[in-house]
Amino acid sequence: MNITQDNLTEVKFQYFSLKFTPLNHLKDKFDSNDIMRNVVTYISRKLQDDKEGHLIDRHEGRPNSMRELFMNRAVFLPKEKRIRCSMALLRSGREPLLKPREQFRLVSMNALGSIAEETHFFIDYSKGFSVICIEYQHFGPRLSDIEYYFRNVAQKVLKQSKATEVNLYMDVSIDKALSNLKNVLNMDIKVQPKNLPQLDVDIQGRYFTGMNNIANTLKPKYIKIETFFQTPGKGIKSTELNKEANKMFIDMLERFKGRSFNIDAFDSFVVKYEDKEGVEEVFNLLNSKREFVIPVDLKKITKSKDWYSLIEEDFNALMATL
């Protein structure tokens, strides 16, 4: 979120599709949308009937690391075939202290509960798969958290799904870059070391081992890599194919397309390349997402339906194209 004038905050929303693959013996009984509705129904009943949430630690088993998530809202809109949702991420680590009004003392947050970051998202199940419009909340749950949470419930609790597939809606097609690539000219990649574990393990080991080594040794907040396969400002281009750079670019594009939560790891991923017609193109991963930004007075947006009203028109426009 970015702060604007007049107490307005710019809130960004992005779009993804989420598909469940039923277990083999359930293929004739459930499709992807059935499983989505069953997952959300389970969560909703836990909240309403049992008065408790379904808590999942995404980092369970990792030493000294916690990422505890729970759905705190799940409201069906049957007529629209949509669901209003929000997910909370419990902040771990050292808790801040509070100063009560008109008192000069500090009170531990533990006396009140835990700090949580909330992300709002909305699911449309009117097609043969679910489409998610999600608020981009830097400190809160990401799409990768939502996918993990839903997959966990579908597989381990309901025992209905064996896999999930997530795809990002983009204004600039990954397929276009994949089909038109001839030669990578330069790359500009920026990442926070703490986000590297979000990448698939094989991708980390293949291309980002050096970043991990630097992060563990120097502990920087950001690492930026710039690679040039032509001389900047000199008009001198590489005359040979940069096979290794081309392979990395193709590998990353295919991973972004098939397992799009890898995108969350990067603060910048910009590649300049020459296409098969000899034209220079720029692929900017983060600027290519299908998204919209709206200025909001967060003090006035207090209910789930208020958040839904922010995205309804744009969500309708996207769904009309699918």
Side-chain angles (χ1 to χ4, degrees):
M1 294 184 185
N2 296 317
I3 305 299
T4 63
Q5 296 179 351
D6 301 323
N7 297 320
L8 297 181
T9 300
E10 286 189 346
V11 182
K12 182 185 298 183
F13 294 92
Q14 299 169 344
Y15 293 102
F16 299 82
S17 67
L18 176 60
K19 299 179 182 179
F20 293 90
T21 301
L23 292 171
N24 291 339
H25 70 282
L26 296 176
K27 285 182 178 179
D28 295 331
K29 186 176 182 179
F30 297 129
D31 62 17
S32 177
N33 279 336
D34 291 329
I35 296 174
M36 171 64 79
R37 288 192 295 269
N38 292 343
V39 168
V40 178
T41 297
Y42 164 80
I43 294 166
S44 179
R45 286 176 177 170
K46 291 283 287 184
L47 290 170
Q48 295 178 14
D49 300 340
D50 299 339
K51 307 301 181 185
E52 63 180 31
H54 183 79
L55 185 70
I56 294 176
D57 182 4
R58 188 178 173 188
H59 289 178
E60 184 179 4
R62 297 188 191 181
N64 304 316
S65 180
M66 297 175 65
R67 193 170 180 84
E68 293 182 314
L69 305 156
F70 67 93
M71 286 271 289
N72 60 308
R73 185 180 293 111
V75 179
F76 279 93
L77 306 176
K79 184 178 179 181
E80 295 89 343
K81 293 188 176 180
R82 289 183 180 171
I83 314 170
R84 299 196 309 252
C85 307
S86 65
M87 180 175 287
L89 168 65
L90 295 180
R91 186 186 296 179
S92 59
R94 184 174 178 177
E95 300 286 2
L97 299 175
L98 295 179
K99 176 189 175 299
R101 288 190 180 93
E102 300 179 358
Q103 296 183 38
F104 288 90
R105 64 188 183 91
L106 297 177
V107 178
S108 171
M109 276 294 301
N110 291 330
L112 302 175
S114 301
I115 293 179
E117 300 285 354
E118 184 180 27
T119 295
H120 301 86
F121 63 100
F122 309 90
I123 303 170
D124 186 296
Y125 55 90
S126 63
K127 307 293 182 180
F129 51 89
S130 299
V131 178
I132 298 178
C133 175
I134 179 174
E135 170 197 9
Y136 176 79
Q137 221 280 57
H138 180 75
F139 297 103
R142 306 285 187 90
L143 188 278
S144 56
D145 294 311
I146 294 171
E147 184 273 339
Y148 180 89
Y149 189 95
F150 280 19
R151 172 162 47 92
N152 186 285
V153 172
Q155 290 183 354
K156 296 185 178 181
V157 179
L158 302 182
K159 303 185 186 306
Q160 295 177 358
S161 173
K162 62 181 180 180
T164 56
E165 177 186 343
V166 176
N167 285 297
L168 168 68
Y169 286 98
M170 305 185 75
D171 287 324
V172 176
S173 172
I174 289 179
D175 288 332
K176 177 185 175 182
L178 283 168
S179 63
N180 290 341
L181 172 68
K182 177 183 177 182
N183 203 21
V184 169
L185 302 176
N186 59 62
M187 295 184 179
D188 187 337
I189 300 172
K190 182 180 178 183
V191 64
Q192 298 180 56
K194 66 178 183 179
N195 291 335
L196 286 172
Q198 295 182 32
L199 291 169
D200 287 334
V201 174
D202 61 326
I203 288 292
Q204 286 187 57
R206 195 177 306 159
Y207 299 118
F208 298 99
T209 301
M211 279 190 170
N212 270 317
N213 291 339
I214 292 174
N216 293 333
T217 303
L218 303 179
K219 304 190 184 318
K221 292 184 177 180
Y222 291 91
I223 297 177
K224 184 174 182 179
I225 293 179
E226 289 185 275
T227 58
F228 294 92
F229 303 99
Q230 61 180 7
T231 305
K234 298 294 184 180
I236 302 174
K237 298 182 180 180
S238 171
T239 58
E240 297 182 358
L241 290 180
N242 304 308
K243 295 180 180 179
E244 291 79 8
N246 283 6
K247 185 177 187 308
M248 176 185 177
F249 187 38
I250 291 171
D251 285 350
M252 294 306 300
L253 287 177
E254 290 179 341
R255 199 57 58 96
F256 293 150
K257 180 180 176 182
R259 293 168 62 80
S260 56
F261 55 80
N262 286 280
I263 294 171
D264 286 345
F266 296 96
D267 289 89
S268 176
F269 191 96
V270 181
V271 177
K272 185 176 181 181
Y273 67 95
E274 181 183 3
D275 69 14
K276 293 177 180 178
E277 302 298 323
V279 178
E280 290 187 1
E281 299 278 358
V282 175
F283 179 86
N284 188 327
L285 176 66
L286 303 188
N287 286 348
S288 300
K289 296 179 181 180
R290 168 70 185 258
E291 61 186 24
F292 72 99
V293 178
I294 184 169
V296 177
D297 185 345
L298 294 177
K299 292 181 180 179
K300 297 180 179 179
I301 307 297
T302 59
K303 300 178 180 179
S304 173
K305 63 181 181 180
D306 296 334
W307 282 95
Y308 179 67
S309 68
L310 296 177
I311 61 93
E312 185 176 11
E313 183 177 352
D314 198 84
F315 205 1
N316 290 343
L318 171 68
M319 296 307 299
T321 66
L322 302 180

